[in-house]
C-alpha cells in the first residue's frame, strides 16, 4: 500500500516574542493587563527569540541536503513567520517542494480574555475564571475565542492536507505552543488526560523541536512515530549556554 504520511515531520514553536517579555513583566508586577499594543498576529520576536531561531536554523542546516525539510508550513503570525524564515534562509529553495503560510496553524484565539493576566481574568471576569476551572482548559471556550478542541478540529484538516499533498516529504511546521500540543494529541492518539499531562509537565520551549519519522512497520499501514520532543538547539553566549525561556503570546496561558 502507498505510504500516506510524510517521511519525517518536525513541529516547532516560534522563538521568544515581545509578548512573552510583556506578559512576564505584567505577571511579575501583579498587573491585570499585558502592556502590548500590537495585535497578537503582529507581535514580533524578541532579540532573544531571533537568536533562538538562528540557533535552530543552524541545526536544520547541519542535517545536510538529504535530511533537511522539503516542505515548510507556518503560522501567518509575525513571530512564527520570522522563525520559519530563519530556517528557510539556510535551505536550498530549489530542493523545496512547498513553502506556505497556513492560517489553520495560527495561535489559539483567546477572545475577550486577550491581553489579560490570570489576575486580570479573575478580576474582570470572575464567572469565566470559575467556569474554566470547572470545565478545564481542554474544553473551555472563552467568548469570542477557542477551546483546545476547536484548535484540534482545524488541525485535523491540516493533517488531511499533509497526507494528501506531502506523502514521503520531510515537513517542517512552525506554529505555537497549543498548536504543537494539539498536533501531538492527534499524531500520538492521546486523550484529554494524556495531552494535559504533557502540558502540565512544562511549556513547549521556544524553538523546541518535536520530531516524528515514518515507521512502515508500525500499525497496519505504517505511521509517524515520535523520535524526540521539545529538543532545543544549543544557544551560546560568550561560551555559556543560554536557557531558552518558554514563550507565550500576549494573552493568558491556554
Amino acid at each position: 500500500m502507498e505510504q500516506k504520511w510524510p517521511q519525517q515531520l518536525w513541529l516547532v514553536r516560534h522563538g521568544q516574542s515581545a509578548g512573552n517579555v510583556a506578559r512576564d513583566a505584567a505577571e511579575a508586577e501583579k498587573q491585570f493587563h499585558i502592556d502590548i499594543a500590537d495585535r497578537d498576529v503582529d507581535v514580533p520576536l524578541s532579540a532573544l527569540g531571533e537568536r533562538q531561531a538562528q540557533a535552530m536554523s543552524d541545526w536544520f542546516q547541519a542535517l545536510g541536503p538529504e535530511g533537511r525539510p522539503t516542505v515548510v508550513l507556518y503560522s501567518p503570525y509575525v513571530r512564527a513567520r520570522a522563525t520559519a524564515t530563519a530556517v528557510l534562509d539556510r535551505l536550498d529553495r530549489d530542493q523545496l517542494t512547498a513553502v506556505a503560510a497556513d492560517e489553520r496553524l495560527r495561535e489559539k484565539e483567546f477572545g475577550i480574555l486577550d491581553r489579560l493576566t490570570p489576575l486580570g481574568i479573575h478580576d474582570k471576569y470572575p464567572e469565566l475564571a470559575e467556569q474554566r476551572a470547572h470545565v478545564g482548559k481542554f474544553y473551555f471556550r472563552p467568548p469570542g475565542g477557542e477551546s483546545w478542541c476547536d484548535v484540534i478540529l482545524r488541525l485535523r484538516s491540516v493533517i488531511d492536507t499533509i497526507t494528501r499533498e506531502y506523502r514521503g516529504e520531510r515537513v517542517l511546521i512552525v506554529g505555537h505552543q497549543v498548536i504543537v500540543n494539539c498536533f501531538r494529541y492527534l499524531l500520538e492518539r492521546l486523550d484529554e488526560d494524556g495531552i494535559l499531562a504533557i502540558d502540565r509537565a512544562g511549556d513547549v520551549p521556544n524553538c523546541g523541536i518535536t520530531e516524528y519519522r515514518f515507521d512502515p512497520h508500525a500499525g497496519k499501514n505504517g505511521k509517524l512515530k515520535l523520535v524526540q520532543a521539545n529538543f532545543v538547539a544549543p544557544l551560546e553566549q560568550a561560551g555559556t549556554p543560554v536557557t531558552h525561556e518558554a514563550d507565550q503570546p500576549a494573552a493568558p496561558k491556554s
Side-chain angles (χ1 to χ4, degrees):
M1 180 174 291
E2 183 182 2
Q3 174 180 330
K4 76 170 188 176
W5 292 103
Q7 188 63 31
Q8 207 158 350
L9 175 68
W10 298 276
L11 305 173
V12 169
R13 187 184 183 183
H14 59 76
Q16 184 197 62
S17 72
N20 177 213
V21 177
R23 181 213 63 196
D24 287 349
E27 292 186 357
E29 297 170 8
K30 295 181 169 34
Q31 298 295 315
F32 291 166
H33 294 87
I34 298 168
D35 184 17
I36 191 162
D38 294 317
R39 296 184 306 163
D40 193 22
V41 65
D42 296 324
V43 173
L45 293 177
S46 67
L48 175 58
E50 292 175 352
R51 293 177 54 233
Q52 291 168 339
Q54 287 301 318
M56 184 186 66
S57 73
D58 290 342
W59 184 84
F60 276 107
Q61 198 275 337
L63 294 179
E66 300 304 316
R68 297 171 190 149
T70 57
V71 174
V72 180
L73 309 175
Y74 53 90
S75 160
Y77 283 38
V78 167
R79 55 190 180 272
R81 183 187 296 269
T83 303
T85 298
V87 178
L88 286 167
D89 286 346
R90 306 296 297 278
L91 301 180
D92 182 350
R93 294 298 183 112
D94 291 336
Q95 301 299 315
L96 291 171
T97 301
V99 175
D102 192 321
E103 76 287 344
R104 296 172 296 179
L105 301 175
R106 69 188 184 277
E107 177 61 286
K108 174 183 175 291
E109 296 179 357
F110 296 94
I112 64 173
L113 303 184
D114 186 41
R115 293 189 292 180
L116 291 177
T117 64
L119 281 177
I121 295 171
H122 281 272
D123 177 71
K124 190 171 184 178
Y125 302 111
E127 71 286 355
L128 290 180
E130 181 180 354
Q131 182 187 22
R132 184 180 186 275
H134 174 68
V135 173
K137 67 162 58 177
F138 191 76
Y139 290 105
F140 174 70
R141 179 191 294 131
E146 293 179 299
S147 68
W148 278 40
C149 291
D150 294 321
V151 176
I152 288 167
L153 180 61
R154 54 178 156 97
L155 293 186
R156 288 187 187 277
S157 71
V158 176
I159 288 178
D160 288 343
T161 299
I162 289 171
T163 56
R164 183 180 66 249
E165 299 183 13
Y166 306 129
R167 300 177 181 185
E169 300 285 353
R170 297 186 298 273
V171 179
L172 168 62
I173 292 177
V174 182
H176 308 266
Q177 172 161 261
V178 176
I179 293 297
V180 171
N181 279 336
C182 288
F183 264 122
R184 292 195 64 179
Y185 170 89
L186 291 168
L187 295 171
E188 298 171 40
R189 301 180 183 179
L190 301 173
D191 57 14
E192 178 188 5
D193 290 340
I195 193 57
L196 292 184
I198 289 174
D199 181 65
R200 285 192 299 271
D203 287 344
V204 177
N206 303 121
C207 291
I209 300 167
T210 295
E211 179 181 1
Y212 297 84
R213 291 179 189 164
F214 180 72
D215 182 350
H217 305 295
K220 185 177 180 180
N221 300 308
K223 63 181 181 179
L224 292 174
K225 298 282 291 202
L226 181 68
V227 175
Q228 60 180 343
N230 298 331
F231 166 76
V232 177
L235 182 66
E236 301 288 333
Q237 183 178 55
T240 303
V242 177
T243 301
H244 288 240
E245 300 177 14
D247 184 30
Q248 291 288 343
K253 182 179 178 182
S254 52

